Amino acid sequence: MDKILEVKDLHVNFATYNGTVQAIRGVNFDLAAGETLAIVGESGSGKSITVRSILQLLAKNADINKGTILYHGEDLLKKSKKEMDAIRGNKISMIFQDPMTSLDPTMTIGKQVAEPLLIHNKVSKKEALGRAEEVLRLVGIPNPKERMNDYPHQFSGGQRQRIVIAIAIVDYPEILIADEPTTALDVTVQAQIIDLLKELQQKIGTAIIFITHDLGVVAGIADRVAVMYAGKFVEYGSVDEVFYNPQHPYTWGLLDSMPTLDTSEDDHLNSIPGTPPNLLNPPKGDAFAPRNEYAMQIDLEKQPPFFKVSKTHYAATWLLHPDAPKVTPPKGIQKRFEKFKKLGDK
Amino acid sequence: MAKYILKRILYLFLTLFIIATITFFLMKMLPGTPFSNQNRLSPDQLAIVKAQYGLDQPIFIQYIRYIGGLFQGNLGTSFQFNNEPVTQLIGQRLAPSMQIGAQAMILGTILGILLGAVAAIRKNSWVDTLATFVSILGISIPSFVLAVLLQFYLAYKWHIYPVALWDNFQSSVLPTIALAALPLGNVARFMRTEMVDVLSSDYIELAKSKGNSEWQVVIKHALRNSLIPIVTIIGPMAVSTMTGSMVVENIFSIPGIGEQFVKSITTNDYPTIMGLTIFYSFLLILVFLVVDILYVLIDPRIRLGNGGND
Amino acid sequence: MEIPQIPKDKFKLLNNAGNKEQEKIGTPALTYMQDVRRRLFKNKVAVVCLTLLTIIVFISVFAPIIAPYNPNAQHATLSNLPPKLGNLNIPGFNGYQNMGGKMVDAYAQVHAPKGTYYLLGTDYLGRDLLSRIIYGTRLSLIVAVLATLVDLLIGIPYGIVSGWKGGMTDNVMQRIVEIVSSVPNLIVVILMMIILKPGLISIVLAIAITDWVTMARLIRAQTFQLKEQEYVLAARTLGESSTKIATKHLIPNLSSTIIIQTMFTIPNAIFFEAFLSFIGIGIPAPNASLGTLLSDGQKAFRFLPYQMWAPAIILSIIMIATNLLGDGLRDAFDPQSSD
Ligand SMILES: Nc1ncnc2c1ncn2[C@@H]1O[C@H](COP(=O)(O)OP(=O)(O)OP(=O)(O)O)[C@@H](O)[C@H]1O
Ligand SMILES: [Mg+2]
């Protein structure tokens, strides 16, 4: 598969009054055409900053101080402002978390959806509006023709997110970044939006980077999953690998705190104790060690490298070192391992 | 919408009625008659004059007459100025006041918007600091102080503008500048706050992610959204401009209603004070009304009857 | 991929289970007020303004000691003297004056006794301008402080009662507020000034009678929110008296609003005093206020500009400093409002 996007050794710092926040501390991943990569992790782990770096939509105090972001082999970090403008909303576009505040309250939605077309293509206003109407229909806005002249406040939250999605896909982007597109919506609407994204992906063949802190929605949409903690990826692999053969204790914790269909009454949900480290001065060793039930001396001293679990599955934990003791993961995770065996047998 | 406007107009008249009533009785509470201090009239003459002004009637009758007169657009007659009707006085003097008032508000608003917008876009830079400084000066230095300084340096010393004269546009420049400083400062501060808010909002992020350049984002999205709330400070701006115009007209000897008002205060010309008070109140309440309607019209979120519940 | 070589003993489990200490770590909790003070003192502009105002207030309070002359003492022979700073020969402050194109020693001309210096010169009645400015500032500040106090005394209880009672009471009280605020406050102030005898008390009342409305509005809105807070609800169910709830729970939480609003009421009051005195219906002669000084100064401005410059500068400094300090306080109380 050809990689359309490769992020290598990305480091992002923020200058604040209290010092430098090392928000992203060496992130590597790639994206193939048409695939969906999910990035999961607790709040503050750096998911948004990672993807915003791609479009360079970061706060003024941000500094991408190391790394490359190759888009078709060209480093986006070396592009000029103008070149980046040409990529945003055209080749790579983004859906934001809160549909209630993402739309310009004083502009009709028709104009807002048509805007990317007018920026990036030599089309007339009329053509652009016509296209906008089509796309609004595509994302499931009823009577798009009449509603083109309505303002955002005249739509429900779910509808607004559909409009935001329409804006993002109107110019058929190659990559669609969805930063928690369903977090602000209620559960039934969440499912509709996920279905819509899947459907659109099939129709226009865009690759999706899907961010969430809800593992529950990942299985339904993603091909691959990356787990993020304190500005680093700690484990990544295919959905089945990460869900049913997780190796990192943090992934265990996340999965264990997620309700599943076969969670029975007596399986209590465990949340991970403690809080993420302060990224003003990140720990020397594994950032997760202080919260890790299975922490070893080495975890406090040295950051673990990625250990290969399979050709597509990697995890950064010293537990995978040949010299590490064998540990028994939580009960819920053991059940998952059993399931994974069955999957493998098939 | 029509119902809303009608209701507001009704309120306008109610408020005016209350103001007129209060003004009337306050003026009647004043000790002595307005004639006691200037003309030495014999008791007979005084009675004649009083009858002429209707001052011999019981106070209640006077009140009814006054209010009745108001409804016919009669604001009473001045004790001074050859017994001119107050409405006529206003008619003669309204134009200069309106001219410098409107010029000052327009100039102040436009410059203020520019200053505030630039400050917000270049937040925390030296431009921002400079803009903040200018707007604080505008807010803090009273218009009459500024007027005197402008008059002294630009007119008296350097002869760039006439000192105190009212004929052409030239002569309106200095009073306009003196009056524009306050709206400029207020609008710039307001605009900066609004714009900083808007620029950090999610829809601006989205606009950037569409591929708009920095300036396109400002022009297409940020400006309009921060400009709409500016409408709400037009009312208070009119009030402060009116306040300022009273002294500024005096300093530059402009034959406007502000100058007239101050003159009637210092000469105890009660009917003129009353008439002008009611007229000013009417003007300002009208401005507030128009501004409110304007706001409803330009902000799609609060279009009435549309169920906009944002 | 090569596997790093690590000494075996490093792979001992630490038994972190139940390790909860991590949660306690954090920055030492500052109380809200300490935090506000820290933010305020970090703001250089606010600190400069605070210092300036402190100096001005200090001078005003000790005016009788600091002022070199009696502010109302007239010396017909020593009228309109230019500033003179002792025997220092600083242009503009050496007692020389331009007369018909020649610089002449004005002090010598009027045969001022030796050792007579007026740092800021004298006015048309030969009164020492510096002393008049010191006393004038004092009077203007008194007006501002009193007006603000009256403003608080009406506005806070009104706002609290209106917000706390709600319902019909609130409705009636709000209609009153609406009517009062729909009348342009300058007009009210002027009418009050015409009716009341000119003087300190009248000015204070005239200003306060319009200004309390804003305060009442803000306090009411906040009281509405506070009413629903748990600790207030708890106090209510425990049967604490209304006055006690107001003083113990409401006022402390309203303090930021009150302080910030006060910082905007003061310059407003100072402006109105100056305005009224300037048009001649404010502080009556011979007392000096910044407004009367400006008014006097304006009359002589063409020939003796310093008589206007001095009060104009002091007035502007007070206005600028209070406005900026108000901004600083707002940012300190509500850090989100700035950045
Ligand atoms: N402008 C900024 N200045 C300083 N620190 C910042 C800034 N923006 C983000 N950070 C820090 O960077 C880290 C990562 O933030 P990010 O927004 O990527 O988290 P996230 O994983 O998207 O979380 P969430 O699920 O809450 O959206 C956080 O610790 C945050 O405090
Ligand atoms: Mg995020």
Side-chain angles (χ1 to χ4, degrees):
Chain A
M1 256 201 288
D2 49 333
K3 307 287 178 209
I4 51 174
L5 186 75
E6 285 173 86
V7 174
K8 288 182 182 164
D9 200 25
L10 181 69
H11 284 73
V12 182
N13 288 345
F14 286 98
T16 69
Y17 281 120
N18 300 321
T20 308
V21 176
Q22 302 177 28
I24 306 297
R25 307 179 297 140
V27 160
N28 294 281
F29 68 92
D30 49 45
L31 190 71
E35 77 161 333
T36 302
L37 169 71
I39 303 178
V40 298
E42 280 172 296
S43 184
S45 53
K47 308 179 296 288
S48 297
I49 303 302
T50 303
V51 292
R52 277 159 180 262
S53 304
I54 299 170
L55 281 181
Q56 287 157 50
L57 285 176
L58 293 170
K60 283 221 174 79
N61 61 338
D63 171 30
I64 304 180
N65 65 333
K66 204 171 161 199
T68 49
I69 299 175
L70 302 179
Y71 173 66
H72 289 295
E74 285 177 45
D75 191 355
L76 293 183
L77 298 177
K78 296 218 170 74
K79 298 252 179 215
S80 71
K81 268 189 183 176
K82 225 170 154 189
E83 288 169 320
M84 272 317 290
D85 286 339
I87 288 172
R88 289 190 199 110
N90 177 26
K91 305 276 192 242
I92 307 175
S93 61
M94 188 151 174
I95 303 169
F96 295 89
Q97 175 170 346
D98 190 353
M100 301 312 273
T101 55
S102 294
L103 294 167
D104 185 333
T106 61
M107 195 187 250
T108 60
I109 59 145
K111 278 193 195 152
Q112 295 195 51
V113 176
E115 202 182 338
L117 294 171
L118 291 166
I119 296 170
H120 299 292
N121 309 300
K122 288 204 171 66
V123 291
S124 69
K125 238 185 187 152
K126 215 172 137 209
E127 280 173 275
L129 286 172
R131 246 319 258 139
E133 187 190 325
E134 238 170 81
V135 174
L136 281 171
R137 180 167 296 123
L138 192 65
V139 299
I141 298 291
N143 306 325
K145 199 179 177 88
E146 287 91 83
R147 306 223 59 187
M148 292 275 286
N149 292 322
D150 283 352
Y151 289 90
H153 72 270
Q154 292 161 301
F155 294 85
S156 72
Q159 283 177 321
R160 288 194 213 184
Q161 196 60 303
R162 287 169 191 269
I163 297 166
V164 172
I165 293 173
I167 294 173
I169 62 153
V170 72
D171 216 6
Y172 288 156
E174 202 170 1
I175 301 171
L176 180 63
I177 299 170
D179 189 354
E180 309 202 27
T182 58
T183 308
L185 303 169
D186 59 46
V187 185
T188 47
V189 184
Q190 278 185 14
Q192 291 168 10
I193 295 290
I194 301 262
D195 286 344
L196 172 66
L197 283 173
K198 274 198 287 193
E199 190 192 317
L200 291 172
Q201 184 172 32
Q202 301 230 308
K203 275 189 192 149
I204 64 177
T206 162
I208 296 180
I209 302 178
F210 188 94
I211 294 182
T212 178
H213 54 237
D214 178 7
L215 274 170
V217 302
V218 171
I221 186 165
D223 301 313
R224 288 194 299 143
V225 185
V227 180
M228 191 161 192
Y229 184 76
K232 287 185 147 197
F233 280 7
V234 294
E235 179 160 7
Y236 61 90
S238 71
V239 170
D240 283 344
E241 285 165 337
V242 174
F243 269 63
Y244 299 112
N245 191 25
Q247 297 298 319
H248 198 286
Y250 178 66
T251 317
W252 293 349
L254 277 185
L255 286 167
D256 228 19
S257 58
M258 172 186 118
T260 54
L261 283 178
D262 37 46
T263 311
S264 52
E265 297 278 319
D266 50 305
D267 293 337
H268 61 287
L269 293 176
N270 302 305
S271 64
I272 308 169
T275 49
N278 184 347
L279 292 177
L280 274 172
N281 30 37
K284 186 167 117 221
D286 183 358
F288 186 57
R291 299 169 74 188
N292 185 358
E293 216 177 308
Y294 310 96
M296 297 171 289
Q297 186 57 37
I298 183 72
D299 279 317
L300 300 178
E301 294 171 11
K302 207 164 152 55
Q303 299 195 13
F306 270 110
F307 290 92
K308 185 172 176 177
V309 183
S310 79
K311 237 175 84 186
T312 49
H313 185 190
Y314 293 82
T317 167
W318 285 115
L319 289 176
L320 289 174
H321 192 276
D323 291 339
K326 286 278 157 288
V327 297
T328 25
K331 260 234 259 1
I333 302 302
Q334 291 176 26
K335 278 191 198 164
R336 286 172 181 274
F337 287 164
E338 284 162 27
K339 227 178 190 172
F340 189 70
K341 278 215 191 86
K342 275 188 229 151
L343 282 171
D345 292 346
K346 266 189 225 161
Chain B
M1 185 71 192
K3 220 171 117 191
Y4 169 75
I5 295 176
L6 216 71
K7 202 175 109 193
R8 288 294 306 267
I9 292 176
L10 215 77
Y11 263 122
L12 187 153
F13 282 108
L14 186 72
T15 318
L16 273 183
F17 173 74
I18 295 174
I19 294 172
T21 307
I22 294 175
T23 324
F24 179 86
F25 285 105
L26 282 179
M27 291 291 141
K28 289 298 157 196
M29 269 166 47
L30 289 175
T33 74
F35 309 104
S36 46
N37 43 5
Q38 26 163 349
N39 312 349
R40 280 195 201 93
L41 301 170
S42 70
D44 280 354
Q45 283 173 309
L46 196 62
I48 294 168
V49 174
K50 272 191 160 184
Q52 189 190 336
Y53 285 99
L55 295 177
D56 53 344
Q57 305 282 331
I59 231 175
F60 189 67
I61 303 287
Q62 289 184 37
Y63 172 67
I64 299 284
R65 276 197 187 166
Y66 188 72
I67 298 289
L70 283 185
F71 273 107
Q72 296 157 20
N74 179 3
L75 292 170
T77 42
S78 167
F79 286 158
Q80 321 256 325
F81 306 104
N82 317 319
N83 296 339
E84 245 184 296
V86 176
T87 19
Q88 198 177 317
L89 261 179
I90 294 174
Q92 289 162 357
R93 290 170 159 264
L94 191 57
S97 295
M98 283 291 168
Q99 188 191 338
I100 59 163
Q103 279 177 191
M105 283 172 66
I106 293 170
L107 180 73
T109 308
I110 292 175
L111 292 181
I113 287 172
L114 289 177
L115 202 64
V118 174
I121 295 166
R122 294 276 168 263
K123 199 176 104 182
N124 296 337
S125 72
W126 64 268
V127 185
D128 187 14
T129 313
L130 185 73
T132 309
F133 184 68
V134 170
S135 38
I136 280 286
L137 284 187
I139 290 169
S140 304
I141 300 177
S143 51
F144 49 91
V145 173
L146 198 57
V148 175
L149 296 182
L150 286 172
Q151 188 183 41
F152 182 66
Y153 289 102
L154 291 181
Y156 185 75
K157 274 208 134 158
W158 303 333
H159 307 289
I160 300 174
Y161 293 100
V163 175
L165 177 89
W166 185 254
D167 55 359
N168 51 7
F169 174 75
Q170 276 273 319
S171 51
S172 76
V173 171
L174 292 185
T176 301
I177 296 176
L179 283 178
L182 184 59
L184 185 151
N186 275 325
V187 171
R189 274 161 67 95
F190 196 85
M191 182 71 186
R192 180 185 180 278
T193 316
E194 281 300 321
M195 189 100 164
V196 164
D197 236 38
V198 167
L199 283 176
S200 68
S201 66
D202 289 351
Y203 59 85
I204 292 297
E205 282 273 274
L206 183 81
K208 284 185 201 156
S209 82
K210 285 175 176 177
N212 280 307
S213 70
E214 200 188 347
W215 284 105
Q216 281 175 320
V217 168
V218 169
I219 290 162
K220 286 203 257 177
H221 298 276
L223 266 184
R224 183 185 28 214
N225 280 288
S226 5
L227 279 177
I228 290 175
I230 295 280
V231 173
T232 56
I233 60 171
I234 293 179
M237 192 197 293
V239 174
S240 59
T241 305
M242 181 201 87
T243 309
S245 75
M246 287 186 189
V247 267
V248 170
E249 284 178 15
N250 234 318
I251 290 167
F252 290 100
S253 308
I254 295 167
I257 45 175
E259 195 233 359
Q260 176 68 66
F261 194 48
V262 175
K263 216 183 270 168
S264 14
I265 290 168
T266 41
T267 55
N268 290 343
D269 184 357
Y270 299 137
T272 311
I273 296 175
M274 262 160 77
L276 282 176
T277 299
I278 292 164
F279 177 74
Y280 271 133
S281 308
F282 172 75
L283 213 62
L284 291 177
I285 298 171
L286 194 68
V287 169
F288 275 92
L289 172 66
V290 170
V291 163
D292 281 1
I293 292 172
L294 206 66
Y295 194 55
V296 173
L297 286 180
I298 62 173
D299 192 340
R301 279 165 298 184
I302 52 167
R303 226 160 254 177
L304 296 166
N306 238 341
N309 45 7
D310 233 28
Chain C
M1 191 174 67
E2 59 194 274
I3 287 162
Q5 290 302 309
I6 308 280
K8 286 212 163 144
D9 61 318
K10 299 279 186 192
F11 287 100
K12 237 174 65 204
L13 286 173
L14 291 171
N15 250 329
N16 249 348
N19 179 356
K20 293 260 158 89
E21 291 141 61
Q22 294 299 324
E23 291 179 41
K24 285 192 220 121
I25 300 175
T27 48
L30 291 171
T31 68
Y32 178 57
M33 272 311 182
Q34 279 172 321
D35 221 26
V36 168
R37 204 171 312 147
R38 188 182 57 87
R39 274 196 296 265
L40 184 67
F41 284 115
K42 246 185 164 175
N43 182 341
K44 278 188 217 104
V45 176
V47 171
V48 171
C49 292
L50 191 62
T51 316
L52 272 176
L53 287 174
T54 312
I55 294 171
I56 292 174
V57 169
F58 181 86
I59 293 175
S60 305
V61 170
F62 295 102
I65 301 169
I66 293 170
Y69 295 90
N70 176 343
N72 295 332
Q74 305 180 2
H75 302 278
T77 51
L78 304 177
S79 66
N80 289 335
L81 287 175
K84 184 170 180 179
L85 257 178
N87 285 327
L88 301 174
N89 199 0
I90 307 165
F93 287 95
N94 53 7
Y96 277 70
Q97 204 168 28
N98 189 335
M99 278 205 177
K102 254 196 332 214
M103 295 304 280
V104 284
D105 185 346
Y107 283 71
Q109 271 197 331
V110 297
H111 307 296
K114 244 205 168 140
T116 313
Y117 307 118
Y118 295 104
L119 293 188
L120 291 179
T122 59
D123 69 0
Y124 67 107
L125 291 175
R127 296 176 292 197
D128 175 38
L129 206 55
L130 178 63
S131 305
R132 284 185 73 70
I133 284 174
I134 292 176
Y135 274 90
T137 307
R138 175 183 160 106
L139 194 56
S140 288
L141 287 181
I142 291 175
V143 169
V145 169
L146 287 182
T148 307
L149 275 182
V150 178
D151 185 36
L152 295 177
L153 281 178
I154 308 174
I156 295 175
Y158 195 99
I160 290 182
V161 170
S162 183
W164 186 262
K165 293 263 171 179
M168 199 52 210
T169 319
D170 179 45
N171 233 323
V172 172
M173 291 177 90
Q174 283 317 298
R175 287 295 87 73
I176 296 175
V177 164
E178 252 171 48
I179 290 185
V180 173
S181 56
S182 74
V183 186
N185 58 355
L186 173 74
I187 303 237
V188 181
V189 172
I190 287 181
L191 286 182
M192 293 302 294
M193 289 312 297
I194 296 173
I195 296 153
L196 304 168
K197 276 204 207 86
L200 182 77
I201 304 295
S202 317
I203 296 194
V204 168
L205 283 181
I207 295 172
I209 217 164
T210 56
D211 258 12
W212 65 273
V213 182
T214 322
M215 181 69 82
R217 269 217 187 110
L218 291 172
I219 297 288
R220 169 181 172 268
Q222 280 230 307
T223 307
F224 253 126
Q225 284 170 13
L226 286 174
K227 197 161 72 165
E228 305 303 326
Q229 301 280 306
E230 258 162 63
Y231 57 91
V232 179
L233 285 176
R236 277 164 93 180
T237 37
L238 285 175
E240 275 187 47
S241 74
S242 303
T243 11
K244 199 160 170 203
I245 293 177
T247 50
K248 227 175 95 185
H249 300 291
L250 294 183
I251 306 252
N253 283 293
L254 294 170
S255 59
S256 63
T257 311
I258 295 173
I259 292 172
I260 293 165
Q261 185 53 28
T262 304
M263 288 319 290
F264 294 104
T265 311
I266 288 179
N268 193 39
I270 289 181
F271 169 80
F272 265 118
E273 183 281 315
F275 178 86
L276 293 173
S277 298
F278 194 84
I279 63 174
I281 54 173
I283 298 287
N287 289 322
S289 74
L290 288 176
T292 59
L293 289 170
L294 282 170
S295 174
D296 288 347
Q298 190 238 332
K299 284 168 201 143
F301 191 53
R302 287 211 188 144
F303 315 104
L304 307 157
Y306 61 87
Q307 291 192 7
M308 168 112 179
W309 269 115
I313 288 172
I314 295 291
L315 177 70
S316 303
I317 287 179
I318 296 177
M319 300 278 286
I320 292 170
T322 38
N323 275 321
L324 285 175
L325 183 60
D327 282 354
L329 280 167
R330 194 181 43 208
D331 292 349
F333 277 112
D334 178 13
Q336 279 114 324
S337 72
S338 56
D339 289 26

